[in-house]
Short mmCIF file of all heavy atoms in Angstrom, two decimals:
data_model
loop_
_atom_site.label_atom_id
_atom_site.label_comp_id
_atom_site.label_asym_id
_atom_site.label_seq_id
_atom_site.Cartn_x
_atom_site.Cartn_y
_atom_site.Cartn_z
N MET A 139 0.84 -1.23 0.04
CA MET A 139 0.02 -0.01 0.01
C MET A 139 0.85 1.24 -0.03
O MET A 139 1.93 1.32 0.58
CB MET A 139 -0.89 0.01 1.22
CG MET A 139 -1.95 -1.15 1.26
SD MET A 139 -3.08 -1.09 -0.13
CE MET A 139 -4.20 0.20 0.40
N THR A 140 0.39 2.25 -0.64
CA THR A 140 1.12 3.49 -0.70
C THR A 140 0.68 4.56 0.31
O THR A 140 1.17 5.68 0.30
CB THR A 140 1.06 4.07 -2.13
OG1 THR A 140 -0.28 4.18 -2.52
CG2 THR A 140 1.78 3.24 -3.08
N GLY A 141 -0.30 4.27 1.08
CA GLY A 141 -0.76 5.25 2.07
C GLY A 141 -1.76 6.20 1.44
O GLY A 141 -2.42 5.92 0.48
N THR A 142 -1.82 7.37 2.11
CA THR A 142 -2.85 8.34 1.62
C THR A 142 -2.50 8.89 0.28
O THR A 142 -1.34 9.17 0.02
CB THR A 142 -2.88 9.59 2.62
OG1 THR A 142 -1.84 9.44 3.57
CG2 THR A 142 -4.20 9.71 3.25
N PRO A 143 -3.49 9.01 -0.53
CA PRO A 143 -3.24 9.60 -1.90
C PRO A 143 -2.83 11.07 -1.80
O PRO A 143 -3.23 11.72 -0.89
CB PRO A 143 -4.53 9.41 -2.61
CG PRO A 143 -5.59 9.27 -1.60
CD PRO A 143 -4.88 8.69 -0.36
N GLU A 144 -2.03 11.49 -2.72
CA GLU A 144 -1.59 12.84 -2.75
C GLU A 144 -2.65 13.67 -3.52
O GLU A 144 -3.19 13.21 -4.48
CB GLU A 144 -0.24 13.03 -3.48
CG GLU A 144 0.87 12.67 -2.49
CD GLU A 144 2.21 13.06 -3.11
OE1 GLU A 144 2.26 14.03 -3.88
OE2 GLU A 144 3.19 12.34 -2.87
N TYR A 145 -2.84 14.87 -3.06
CA TYR A 145 -3.75 15.79 -3.74
C TYR A 145 -3.03 17.00 -4.26
O TYR A 145 -2.04 17.43 -3.67
CB TYR A 145 -4.88 16.19 -2.81
CG TYR A 145 -5.89 15.04 -2.57
CD1 TYR A 145 -5.64 14.13 -1.56
CD2 TYR A 145 -6.94 14.87 -3.37
CE1 TYR A 145 -6.51 13.06 -1.35
CE2 TYR A 145 -7.87 13.83 -3.17
CZ TYR A 145 -7.60 12.91 -2.20
OH TYR A 145 -8.45 11.90 -2.00
N THR A 146 -3.54 17.54 -5.31
CA THR A 146 -2.93 18.76 -5.89
C THR A 146 -4.02 19.77 -6.22
O THR A 146 -5.17 19.40 -6.38
CB THR A 146 -2.15 18.38 -7.17
OG1 THR A 146 -1.43 19.49 -7.62
CG2 THR A 146 -3.04 17.84 -8.24
N GLU A 147 -3.68 21.01 -6.21
CA GLU A 147 -4.66 22.02 -6.54
C GLU A 147 -4.86 22.15 -8.01
O GLU A 147 -3.93 22.18 -8.79
CB GLU A 147 -4.25 23.42 -5.93
CG GLU A 147 -4.49 23.49 -4.46
CD GLU A 147 -4.16 24.92 -3.95
OE1 GLU A 147 -3.34 25.67 -4.60
OE2 GLU A 147 -4.75 25.26 -2.92
N ALA A 148 -6.11 22.31 -8.43
CA ALA A 148 -6.39 22.51 -9.80
C ALA A 148 -7.42 23.65 -9.91
O ALA A 148 -8.28 23.85 -9.09
CB ALA A 148 -7.00 21.24 -10.40
N ILE A 149 -7.33 24.44 -11.05
CA ILE A 149 -8.23 25.52 -11.23
C ILE A 149 -9.62 24.97 -11.53
O ILE A 149 -9.78 24.11 -12.46
CB ILE A 149 -7.78 26.40 -12.43
CG1 ILE A 149 -6.38 26.97 -12.16
CG2 ILE A 149 -8.80 27.53 -12.66
CD1 ILE A 149 -6.30 28.00 -11.08
N CYS A 150 -10.60 25.43 -10.83
CA CYS A 150 -12.01 25.01 -11.03
C CYS A 150 -12.40 25.35 -12.53
O CYS A 150 -12.20 26.47 -12.96
CB CYS A 150 -12.90 25.76 -10.08
SG CYS A 150 -14.61 25.53 -10.35
N GLN A 151 -12.88 24.37 -13.23
CA GLN A 151 -13.21 24.52 -14.58
C GLN A 151 -14.56 25.29 -14.80
O GLN A 151 -14.81 25.80 -15.84
CB GLN A 151 -13.31 23.18 -15.31
CG GLN A 151 -11.96 22.45 -15.36
CD GLN A 151 -10.90 23.21 -16.22
OE1 GLN A 151 -11.11 23.36 -17.42
NE2 GLN A 151 -9.90 23.75 -15.59
N HIS A 152 -15.37 25.27 -13.77
CA HIS A 152 -16.63 25.94 -13.85
C HIS A 152 -16.51 27.47 -13.87
O HIS A 152 -17.07 28.14 -14.69
CB HIS A 152 -17.55 25.50 -12.69
CG HIS A 152 -18.88 26.10 -12.75
ND1 HIS A 152 -19.93 25.54 -13.51
CD2 HIS A 152 -19.43 27.20 -12.16
CE1 HIS A 152 -21.01 26.30 -13.41
NE2 HIS A 152 -20.72 27.29 -12.63
N CYS A 153 -15.66 27.96 -13.02
CA CYS A 153 -15.53 29.44 -12.88
C CYS A 153 -14.13 29.87 -13.44
O CYS A 153 -13.83 31.06 -13.40
CB CYS A 153 -15.66 29.83 -11.45
SG CYS A 153 -14.39 29.14 -10.40
N GLU A 154 -13.25 28.93 -13.79
CA GLU A 154 -11.94 29.19 -14.31
C GLU A 154 -11.11 30.11 -13.34
O GLU A 154 -10.42 30.99 -13.76
CB GLU A 154 -11.98 29.84 -15.64
CG GLU A 154 -12.64 28.90 -16.72
CD GLU A 154 -12.62 29.45 -18.10
OE1 GLU A 154 -12.88 30.65 -18.22
OE2 GLU A 154 -12.42 28.65 -19.01
N GLY A 155 -11.28 29.81 -12.02
CA GLY A 155 -10.49 30.51 -11.03
C GLY A 155 -11.13 31.71 -10.43
O GLY A 155 -10.61 32.32 -9.52
N ALA A 156 -12.35 32.09 -10.91
CA ALA A 156 -12.97 33.29 -10.37
C ALA A 156 -13.66 33.02 -9.00
O ALA A 156 -13.79 33.95 -8.22
CB ALA A 156 -14.05 33.72 -11.40
N GLY A 157 -13.91 31.76 -8.76
CA GLY A 157 -14.66 31.43 -7.48
C GLY A 157 -16.09 31.23 -7.77
O GLY A 157 -16.74 32.15 -8.28
N CYS A 158 -16.61 30.09 -7.31
CA CYS A 158 -18.03 29.84 -7.50
C CYS A 158 -18.48 28.84 -6.35
O CYS A 158 -17.65 28.41 -5.59
CB CYS A 158 -18.32 29.22 -8.90
SG CYS A 158 -17.62 27.50 -9.10
N VAL A 159 -19.74 28.56 -6.40
CA VAL A 159 -20.28 27.71 -5.33
C VAL A 159 -19.63 26.28 -5.33
O VAL A 159 -19.46 25.70 -4.27
CB VAL A 159 -21.80 27.61 -5.38
CG1 VAL A 159 -22.19 26.95 -6.68
CG2 VAL A 159 -22.38 26.93 -4.18
N TYR A 160 -19.22 25.85 -6.52
CA TYR A 160 -18.64 24.46 -6.61
C TYR A 160 -17.26 24.36 -6.01
O TYR A 160 -16.82 23.23 -5.68
CB TYR A 160 -18.71 24.02 -8.09
CG TYR A 160 -20.11 24.06 -8.61
CD1 TYR A 160 -20.44 24.94 -9.67
CD2 TYR A 160 -21.14 23.28 -8.12
CE1 TYR A 160 -21.70 25.02 -10.17
CE2 TYR A 160 -22.40 23.31 -8.56
CZ TYR A 160 -22.69 24.25 -9.63
OH TYR A 160 -23.99 24.32 -10.11
N CYS A 161 -16.55 25.43 -5.97
CA CYS A 161 -15.17 25.34 -5.47
C CYS A 161 -15.10 26.11 -4.12
O CYS A 161 -13.98 26.52 -3.69
CB CYS A 161 -14.21 25.91 -6.45
SG CYS A 161 -14.53 27.58 -7.01
N ASP A 162 -16.29 26.37 -3.50
CA ASP A 162 -16.24 27.16 -2.23
C ASP A 162 -15.65 28.50 -2.39
O ASP A 162 -14.94 29.02 -1.52
CB ASP A 162 -15.55 26.42 -1.13
CG ASP A 162 -16.37 25.26 -0.58
OD1 ASP A 162 -17.62 25.41 -0.65
OD2 ASP A 162 -15.85 24.31 -0.02
N LYS A 163 -15.86 29.12 -3.53
CA LYS A 163 -15.37 30.52 -3.88
C LYS A 163 -13.89 30.61 -3.85
O LYS A 163 -13.35 31.77 -3.75
CB LYS A 163 -15.96 31.51 -2.83
CG LYS A 163 -17.44 31.36 -2.60
CD LYS A 163 -18.14 32.44 -3.42
CE LYS A 163 -19.63 32.54 -2.95
NZ LYS A 163 -20.59 32.20 -3.99
N LYS A 164 -13.21 29.51 -3.93
CA LYS A 164 -11.73 29.56 -3.92
C LYS A 164 -11.12 29.64 -5.36
O LYS A 164 -10.00 30.03 -5.49
CB LYS A 164 -11.13 28.28 -3.25
CG LYS A 164 -11.44 28.28 -1.74
CD LYS A 164 -10.91 27.00 -1.14
CE LYS A 164 -11.38 26.81 0.25
NZ LYS A 164 -11.58 25.39 0.62
N GLY A 165 -11.87 29.21 -6.32
CA GLY A 165 -11.35 29.18 -7.74
C GLY A 165 -10.49 27.94 -7.93
O GLY A 165 -10.06 27.76 -9.06
N LYS A 166 -10.19 27.18 -6.85
CA LYS A 166 -9.39 26.00 -6.97
C LYS A 166 -10.06 24.86 -6.24
O LYS A 166 -10.80 25.09 -5.27
CB LYS A 166 -8.02 26.25 -6.40
CG LYS A 166 -7.18 27.20 -7.19
CD LYS A 166 -5.88 27.47 -6.46
CE LYS A 166 -6.11 28.27 -5.18
NZ LYS A 166 -4.84 28.75 -4.58
N VAL A 167 -9.73 23.63 -6.70
CA VAL A 167 -10.19 22.50 -5.95
C VAL A 167 -9.05 21.52 -5.78
O VAL A 167 -8.08 21.56 -6.48
CB VAL A 167 -11.30 21.74 -6.75
CG1 VAL A 167 -12.60 22.57 -6.72
CG2 VAL A 167 -10.87 21.45 -8.16
N LEU A 168 -9.17 20.69 -4.69
CA LEU A 168 -8.15 19.61 -4.48
C LEU A 168 -8.52 18.41 -5.27
O LEU A 168 -9.65 17.93 -5.06
CB LEU A 168 -8.00 19.37 -2.98
CG LEU A 168 -7.14 20.33 -2.18
CD1 LEU A 168 -7.20 19.85 -0.72
CD2 LEU A 168 -5.72 20.30 -2.67
N VAL A 169 -7.67 17.93 -6.09
CA VAL A 169 -7.92 16.71 -6.84
C VAL A 169 -6.83 15.74 -6.64
O VAL A 169 -5.65 16.14 -6.33
CB VAL A 169 -8.05 17.05 -8.33
CG1 VAL A 169 -9.25 17.97 -8.56
CG2 VAL A 169 -6.83 17.58 -8.96
N LYS A 170 -7.07 14.48 -6.76
CA LYS A 170 -6.04 13.48 -6.63
C LYS A 170 -4.99 13.62 -7.63
O LYS A 170 -5.28 13.85 -8.80
CB LYS A 170 -6.71 12.08 -6.71
CG LYS A 170 -5.95 11.04 -6.00
CD LYS A 170 -6.65 9.72 -6.09
CE LYS A 170 -7.86 9.61 -5.08
NZ LYS A 170 -8.46 8.31 -5.08
N SER A 171 -3.69 13.59 -7.20
CA SER A 171 -2.58 13.80 -8.11
C SER A 171 -2.20 12.51 -8.82
O SER A 171 -2.22 11.41 -8.21
CB SER A 171 -1.45 14.28 -7.23
OG SER A 171 -0.30 14.56 -8.05
N PRO A 172 -1.85 12.54 -10.07
CA PRO A 172 -1.85 13.76 -10.98
C PRO A 172 -3.25 14.11 -11.40
O PRO A 172 -4.12 13.29 -11.61
CB PRO A 172 -1.08 13.29 -12.20
CG PRO A 172 -1.22 11.80 -12.26
CD PRO A 172 -1.44 11.36 -10.81
N ALA A 173 -3.53 15.42 -11.48
CA ALA A 173 -4.88 15.94 -11.85
C ALA A 173 -5.21 15.48 -13.26
O ALA A 173 -4.44 15.56 -14.15
CB ALA A 173 -4.83 17.45 -11.71
N ARG A 174 -6.48 15.02 -13.34
CA ARG A 174 -7.01 14.60 -14.63
C ARG A 174 -8.33 15.26 -14.85
O ARG A 174 -9.12 15.32 -13.92
CB ARG A 174 -7.14 13.07 -14.70
CG ARG A 174 -5.84 12.35 -14.75
CD ARG A 174 -6.07 10.87 -14.38
NE ARG A 174 -6.52 10.76 -12.98
CZ ARG A 174 -7.34 9.82 -12.54
NH1 ARG A 174 -7.80 8.92 -13.46
NH2 ARG A 174 -7.74 9.82 -11.32
N LYS A 175 -8.66 15.55 -16.09
CA LYS A 175 -9.94 16.09 -16.39
C LYS A 175 -11.01 15.03 -16.17
O LYS A 175 -10.73 13.85 -16.36
CB LYS A 175 -9.97 16.60 -17.84
CG LYS A 175 -9.19 17.84 -18.07
CD LYS A 175 -9.89 19.11 -17.60
CE LYS A 175 -9.08 20.34 -17.68
NZ LYS A 175 -8.64 20.68 -19.09
N CYS A 176 -12.18 15.42 -15.81
CA CYS A 176 -13.29 14.40 -15.61
C CYS A 176 -13.47 13.60 -16.86
O CYS A 176 -13.58 14.15 -17.97
CB CYS A 176 -14.54 15.20 -15.28
SG CYS A 176 -16.01 14.22 -15.20
N ARG A 177 -13.58 12.27 -16.63
CA ARG A 177 -13.72 11.40 -17.87
C ARG A 177 -15.09 11.43 -18.37
O ARG A 177 -15.35 11.00 -19.52
CB ARG A 177 -13.26 10.00 -17.49
CG ARG A 177 -14.20 9.30 -16.54
CD ARG A 177 -13.49 8.00 -16.01
NE ARG A 177 -14.05 7.59 -14.70
CZ ARG A 177 -15.10 6.74 -14.59
NH1 ARG A 177 -15.67 6.24 -15.63
NH2 ARG A 177 -15.50 6.45 -13.40
N HIS A 178 -16.02 11.93 -17.64
CA HIS A 178 -17.42 12.00 -18.10
C HIS A 178 -17.64 13.21 -19.01
O HIS A 178 -18.41 13.18 -19.97
CB HIS A 178 -18.39 12.06 -16.91
CG HIS A 178 -18.33 10.79 -16.12
ND1 HIS A 178 -19.06 9.67 -16.43
CD2 HIS A 178 -17.66 10.53 -14.96
CE1 HIS A 178 -18.80 8.72 -15.53
NE2 HIS A 178 -17.97 9.23 -14.61
N CYS A 179 -17.05 14.35 -18.64
CA CYS A 179 -17.41 15.58 -19.40
C CYS A 179 -16.12 16.15 -20.05
O CYS A 179 -16.19 17.14 -20.80
CB CYS A 179 -18.01 16.54 -18.47
SG CYS A 179 -16.89 17.13 -17.15
N GLY A 180 -14.95 15.63 -19.74
CA GLY A 180 -13.70 16.20 -20.32
C GLY A 180 -13.39 17.56 -19.86
O GLY A 180 -12.64 18.28 -20.56
N GLY A 181 -13.92 18.01 -18.72
CA GLY A 181 -13.62 19.35 -18.21
C GLY A 181 -14.72 20.33 -18.42
O GLY A 181 -14.65 21.49 -18.11
N GLU A 182 -15.86 19.80 -19.03
CA GLU A 182 -17.01 20.72 -19.27
C GLU A 182 -17.92 20.86 -18.06
O GLU A 182 -18.81 21.72 -18.13
CB GLU A 182 -17.76 20.18 -20.45
CG GLU A 182 -17.05 20.17 -21.79
CD GLU A 182 -16.69 21.56 -22.21
OE1 GLU A 182 -17.53 22.44 -22.30
OE2 GLU A 182 -15.48 21.78 -22.52
N CYS A 183 -17.66 20.05 -17.04
CA CYS A 183 -18.41 20.09 -15.75
C CYS A 183 -19.73 19.27 -15.88
O CYS A 183 -20.52 19.48 -16.80
CB CYS A 183 -18.71 21.51 -15.30
SG CYS A 183 -17.22 22.45 -15.10
N CYS A 184 -19.92 18.38 -14.91
CA CYS A 184 -21.10 17.53 -14.90
C CYS A 184 -21.31 17.07 -13.44
O CYS A 184 -20.51 17.41 -12.58
CB CYS A 184 -20.94 16.33 -15.82
SG CYS A 184 -19.65 15.13 -15.28
N ILE A 185 -22.36 16.35 -13.23
CA ILE A 185 -22.65 15.92 -11.81
C ILE A 185 -21.52 15.03 -11.26
O ILE A 185 -21.26 15.02 -10.09
CB ILE A 185 -23.98 15.22 -11.65
CG1 ILE A 185 -24.07 14.04 -12.64
CG2 ILE A 185 -25.17 16.17 -11.94
CD1 ILE A 185 -25.25 13.13 -12.23
N TYR A 186 -20.88 14.29 -12.19
CA TYR A 186 -19.85 13.34 -11.69
C TYR A 186 -18.60 13.96 -11.10
O TYR A 186 -17.92 13.42 -10.24
CB TYR A 186 -19.44 12.34 -12.80
CG TYR A 186 -20.59 11.55 -13.32
CD1 TYR A 186 -21.19 11.88 -14.49
CD2 TYR A 186 -21.12 10.52 -12.53
CE1 TYR A 186 -22.35 11.16 -15.01
CE2 TYR A 186 -22.19 9.80 -13.03
CZ TYR A 186 -22.77 10.09 -14.21
OH TYR A 186 -23.86 9.40 -14.64
N CYS A 187 -18.34 15.20 -11.56
CA CYS A 187 -17.13 15.90 -11.04
C CYS A 187 -17.50 17.05 -10.12
O CYS A 187 -16.74 17.83 -9.75
CB CYS A 187 -16.32 16.41 -12.21
SG CYS A 187 -17.15 17.42 -13.42
N GLY A 188 -18.79 17.02 -9.73
CA GLY A 188 -19.29 18.09 -8.89
C GLY A 188 -19.21 19.42 -9.51
O GLY A 188 -19.05 20.47 -8.82
N TYR A 189 -19.21 19.41 -10.85
CA TYR A 189 -19.17 20.68 -11.66
C TYR A 189 -17.85 21.39 -11.50
O TYR A 189 -17.78 22.62 -11.65
CB TYR A 189 -20.40 21.58 -11.33
CG TYR A 189 -21.68 20.98 -11.69
CD1 TYR A 189 -22.43 20.25 -10.68
CD2 TYR A 189 -22.13 20.95 -13.03
CE1 TYR A 189 -23.60 19.64 -11.03
CE2 TYR A 189 -23.33 20.32 -13.29
CZ TYR A 189 -24.01 19.65 -12.36
OH TYR A 189 -25.19 19.00 -12.64
N THR A 190 -16.82 20.64 -11.24
CA THR A 190 -15.49 21.27 -11.18
C THR A 190 -14.68 20.93 -12.45
O THR A 190 -13.65 21.60 -12.72
CB THR A 190 -14.64 20.72 -9.97
OG1 THR A 190 -14.45 19.35 -10.11
CG2 THR A 190 -15.41 20.97 -8.65
N GLY A 191 -15.11 19.90 -13.15
CA GLY A 191 -14.38 19.52 -14.41
C GLY A 191 -13.25 18.57 -14.14
O GLY A 191 -12.56 18.15 -15.10
N TRP A 192 -13.00 18.15 -12.88
CA TRP A 192 -11.89 17.27 -12.58
C TRP A 192 -12.26 15.93 -12.07
O TRP A 192 -13.35 15.80 -11.40
CB TRP A 192 -10.97 17.98 -11.54
CG TRP A 192 -10.36 19.24 -12.08
CD1 TRP A 192 -10.76 20.46 -11.86
CD2 TRP A 192 -9.21 19.34 -12.88
NE1 TRP A 192 -9.96 21.39 -12.53
CE2 TRP A 192 -9.04 20.68 -13.18
CE3 TRP A 192 -8.32 18.39 -13.46
CZ2 TRP A 192 -8.00 21.16 -13.98
CZ3 TRP A 192 -7.30 18.90 -14.29
CH2 TRP A 192 -7.11 20.22 -14.51
N GLU A 193 -11.43 14.95 -12.27
CA GLU A 193 -11.61 13.64 -11.81
C GLU A 193 -11.10 13.54 -10.34
O GLU A 193 -10.13 14.16 -10.02
CB GLU A 193 -10.79 12.66 -12.68
CG GLU A 193 -11.05 11.19 -12.55
CD GLU A 193 -12.36 10.75 -13.25
OE1 GLU A 193 -12.72 11.41 -14.20
OE2 GLU A 193 -12.96 9.74 -12.80
N ASP A 194 -11.73 12.72 -9.56
CA ASP A 194 -11.28 12.50 -8.19
C ASP A 194 -11.11 13.78 -7.34
O ASP A 194 -10.02 14.00 -6.72
CB ASP A 194 -9.96 11.68 -8.15
CG ASP A 194 -10.16 10.22 -8.67
OD1 ASP A 194 -11.21 9.70 -8.29
OD2 ASP A 194 -9.22 9.74 -9.31
N VAL A 195 -12.17 14.59 -7.36
CA VAL A 195 -12.10 15.74 -6.46
C VAL A 195 -12.24 15.42 -5.04
O VAL A 195 -13.07 14.59 -4.62
CB VAL A 195 -13.29 16.70 -6.89
CG1 VAL A 195 -13.23 17.96 -5.99
CG2 VAL A 195 -13.12 17.10 -8.34
N LYS A 196 -11.35 15.98 -4.22
CA LYS A 196 -11.41 15.71 -2.77
C LYS A 196 -12.52 16.47 -2.18
O LYS A 196 -12.86 17.62 -2.58
CB LYS A 196 -10.08 16.08 -2.18
CG LYS A 196 -10.02 15.75 -0.63
CD LYS A 196 -8.64 16.06 -0.11
CE LYS A 196 -8.61 15.98 1.36
NZ LYS A 196 -9.13 14.71 1.92
N GLY A 197 -13.12 15.92 -1.14
CA GLY A 197 -14.16 16.69 -0.37
C GLY A 197 -15.48 16.08 -0.37
O GLY A 197 -15.73 15.06 0.33
N LYS A 198 -16.39 16.63 -1.17
CA LYS A 198 -17.79 16.33 -1.04
C LYS A 198 -18.16 14.88 -0.88
O LYS A 198 -19.11 14.55 -0.31
CB LYS A 198 -18.55 16.98 -2.17
CG LYS A 198 -18.30 18.49 -2.17
CD LYS A 198 -19.17 19.23 -3.16
CE LYS A 198 -18.85 20.73 -2.93
NZ LYS A 198 -19.61 21.53 -3.86
N TYR A 199 -17.34 14.03 -1.56
CA TYR A 199 -17.74 12.64 -1.61
C TYR A 199 -16.93 11.78 -0.62
O TYR A 199 -17.05 10.61 -0.59
CB TYR A 199 -17.68 12.06 -3.04
CG TYR A 199 -18.48 12.87 -3.99
CD1 TYR A 199 -17.84 13.70 -4.96
CD2 TYR A 199 -19.84 12.88 -3.88
CE1 TYR A 199 -18.61 14.43 -5.81
CE2 TYR A 199 -20.58 13.66 -4.75
CZ TYR A 199 -19.98 14.41 -5.71
OH TYR A 199 -20.72 15.21 -6.56
N ASP A 200 -16.06 12.39 0.17
CA ASP A 200 -15.27 11.66 1.17
C ASP A 200 -16.17 11.27 2.38
O ASP A 200 -17.03 12.01 2.70
CB ASP A 200 -14.08 12.53 1.63
CG ASP A 200 -13.00 12.56 0.64
OD1 ASP A 200 -13.18 11.89 -0.45
OD2 ASP A 200 -11.99 13.21 0.83
ZN1 ZN B 331 -15.38 27.41 -9.26
ZN1 ZN B 332 -17.47 16.05 -15.22
#
């Protein structure tokens, strides 16, 4: 086992860093490293990525 996964900051694709409800107004979200675009929407934002555009977003689903 490798222990806890590493997370990295990624610019929220919904607001492109401006801050919105999906990223808690930070403009960034923590995603599992290496950051990958959501496989469902390719970064266009959908329910699977919590509208952040990223795969494996930390937080809401933990
Ligand atoms: Zn945002
Ligand atoms: Zn998505």
Side-chain angles (χ1 to χ4, degrees):
M139 296 299 283
T140 51
T142 6
E144 279 189 35
Y145 287 88
T146 186
E147 283 188 335
I149 302 291
C150 173
Q151 296 294 294
H152 183 83
C153 63
E154 299 183 320
C158 68
V159 64
Y160 303 114
C161 56
D162 282 334
K163 311 260 195 241
K164 292 178 189 146
K166 292 176 291 189
V167 289
L168 277 178
V169 300
K170 205 177 282 184
S171 184
R174 288 163 299 147
K175 291 279 172 67
C176 173
R177 65 193 159 93
H178 295 277
C179 64
E182 295 297 308
C183 304
C184 68
I185 57 167
Y186 298 104
C187 53
Y189 298 95
T190 64
W192 296 98
E193 192 80 24
D194 290 324
V195 179
K196 183 175 170 54
K198 302 190 176 177
Y199 305 109
D200 284 358

